[in-house]
Amino acid sequence: MRDLQDRVTVIVGGGGGIGRAVAVNLASKGCHLALADINETALAESVEAIGETSVKVTTHQLDVTSAKGVAAFKDDVILKHGKANILINCAGITLQKKFETHSIEDWDWAINLNLWGTLHTCREFLPELKKTNGDAHLMNISSMTGFVGLPNQTSYCATKGAIKGLTEALWGELKADGIGVTVVHPGAIKTDMIKATLEHSDDVEWAKRNYEMVKKIGTDVDYAAAKMVKAIIKNKARIRIGKDAVIFDLLTRIMPTSVTRLITWAEARENAKRAKSA
Ligand SMILES: NC(=O)c1ccc[n+]([C@@H]2O[C@H](COP(=O)([O-])OP(=O)(O)OC[C@H]3O[C@@H](n4cnc5c(N)ncnc54)[C@H](O)[C@@H]3O)[C@@H](O)[C@H]2O)c1
């Protein structure tokens, strides 16, 4: 999709770090926006971040885990904008917990939001994307954990691996319709996502360390957004964001278990250090 002017983009998770940064970038390119999020305050902050603009921006309070809610959201977008050219799925959460301490509710939360949320929006909006006669793009966010399993993130890795498979398969299916499809594999991005895991971790010390590390070495969210928008313009099937994602991807190709080994080793070393100083 070479020109974004006057296209309508639906961003689910538009109140969050990556969703908001993508919204600001797209508005600057003349793209109209339908921003959805469970958090109404966050949506209002996104509108504020976009600032004075000539494009139409609508906000929609939505729990993306609800199939009925997503269907009503689609109707609302079409009523207010008349069409949908681009769908970007940005809503997602992660839990930093061992598999053994994941409850069924934890699994339901991760799968319903990260996987079913994306499935619901794809199901509802695909017919609308098809109505544009190929002037359309679908973008789903996986993660670097889509190609490498990391300890203490079983539910996240399971859902992000599923998003990778789903999106690559859709790329193949939608090629004939001229609809571009991109799967995004970010490494650590400086947003509040990791901070939120402090409430959902069985090792708060470890989660805090990860949060501090992301704050220090994570990729800037505006850079991530610019890369995602460029991928839509250039119709890229797959992008990785951040050096960590690129390195993990390459290492995993050369030595498939190397990254998981490395992280497990670092965790064991840290645990031993903590046990010694306790
Ligand atoms: N930040 C990172 O380091 C990173 C790395 C890899 C992948 N990702 C992925 O990128 C996407 C965006 O992450 P982010 O960093 O912007 O996170 P974020 O926490 O800043 O934003 C996520 C947004 O999703 C919204 N949301 C949560 N539950 C919802 C629901 N039920 N319905 C609708 N909206 C809901 C939140 O209110 C929030 O605004 C996620 O899919 C995440 O897994 C992030």
Side-chain angles (χ1 to χ4, degrees):
M1 179 179 278
R2 298 222 167 268
D3 191 6
L4 296 171
Q5 186 80 32
D6 286 328
R7 305 306 193 276
V8 174
T9 299
V10 176
I11 304 180
V12 181
I18 294 177
R20 180 179 300 162
V22 171
V24 170
N25 189 308
L26 285 172
S28 74
K29 293 185 170 55
C31 207
H32 305 293
L33 299 167
L35 306 179
D37 204 288
I38 200 165
N39 183 335
E40 273 188 299
T41 312
L43 282 172
E45 285 166 7
S46 291
V47 172
E48 216 177 293
I50 292 165
E52 282 274 310
T53 179
S54 57
V55 302
K56 182 170 180 175
V57 182
T58 58
T59 57
H60 310 255
Q61 205 258 333
L62 170 74
D63 180 354
V64 76
T65 66
S66 156
K68 272 192 190 155
V70 174
F73 164 57
K74 187 272 311 284
D75 290 344
D76 201 25
V77 170
I78 299 307
L79 185 75
K80 290 178 174 146
H81 290 270
K83 62 175 181 173
N85 300 97
I86 303 170
L87 169 65
I88 308 179
N89 277 302
C90 290
I93 47 99
T94 181
L95 296 100
Q96 295 193 64
K97 281 184 169 186
K98 294 212 175 300
F99 176 75
E100 284 162 313
T101 50
H102 267 73
S103 64
I104 291 292
E105 289 75 22
D106 289 336
W107 277 100
D108 279 344
W109 188 34
I111 291 173
N112 285 336
L113 178 48
N114 294 356
L115 181 55
W116 269 111
T118 298
L119 286 169
H120 291 322
T121 57
C122 287
R123 283 172 56 83
E124 283 299 330
F125 280 96
L126 262 184
E128 298 303 327
L129 299 189
K130 284 193 172 178
K131 283 181 197 163
T132 65
N133 293 322
D135 192 17
H137 202 96
L138 166 65
M139 176 173 266
N140 290 333
I141 308 190
S142 171
S143 159
M144 64 184 173
T145 65
F147 44 71
V148 58
L150 299 182
N152 304 319
Q153 295 200 54
T154 47
S155 55
Y156 192 63
C157 296
T159 55
K160 293 300 179 175
I163 294 293
K164 173 183 182 283
L166 166 78
T167 313
E168 287 175 358
L170 276 173
W171 179 84
E173 283 189 22
L174 297 176
K175 208 162 176 42
D177 298 294
I179 298 174
V181 178
T182 307
V183 60
V184 182
H185 295 284
I189 311 291
K190 286 180 192 161
T191 70
D192 282 344
M193 186 181 79
I194 306 285
K195 192 176 172 192
T197 65
L198 298 181
E199 289 163 36
H200 307 285
S201 171
D202 45 22
D203 186 344
V204 177
E205 278 310 304
W206 180 255
K208 266 189 195 156
R209 266 173 44 90
N210 278 347
Y211 175 54
E212 290 306 324
M213 193 174 68
V214 170
K215 274 206 300 190
K216 224 188 274 169
I217 62 154
T219 299
D220 177 70
V221 72
D222 293 327
Y223 171 82
K227 201 152 180 200
M228 286 165 67
V229 171
K230 200 166 163 196
I232 295 171
I233 294 169
K234 299 214 160 197
N235 196 11
K236 297 250 185 209
R238 169 186 195 264
I239 56 165
R240 299 158 303 180
I241 303 178
K243 286 196 186 88
D244 46 354
V246 173
I247 292 168
F248 279 18
D249 187 22
L250 293 178
L251 275 176
T252 303
R253 284 157 198 259
I254 303 163
M255 292 179 284
T257 56
S258 57
V259 176
T260 313
R261 273 176 203 270
L262 192 71
I263 304 267
T264 308
W265 170 80
E267 189 186 354
R269 206 175 74 137
E270 179 62 23
N271 285 344
K273 244 200 256 170
R274 277 159 58 179
K276 219 174 175 184
S277 63

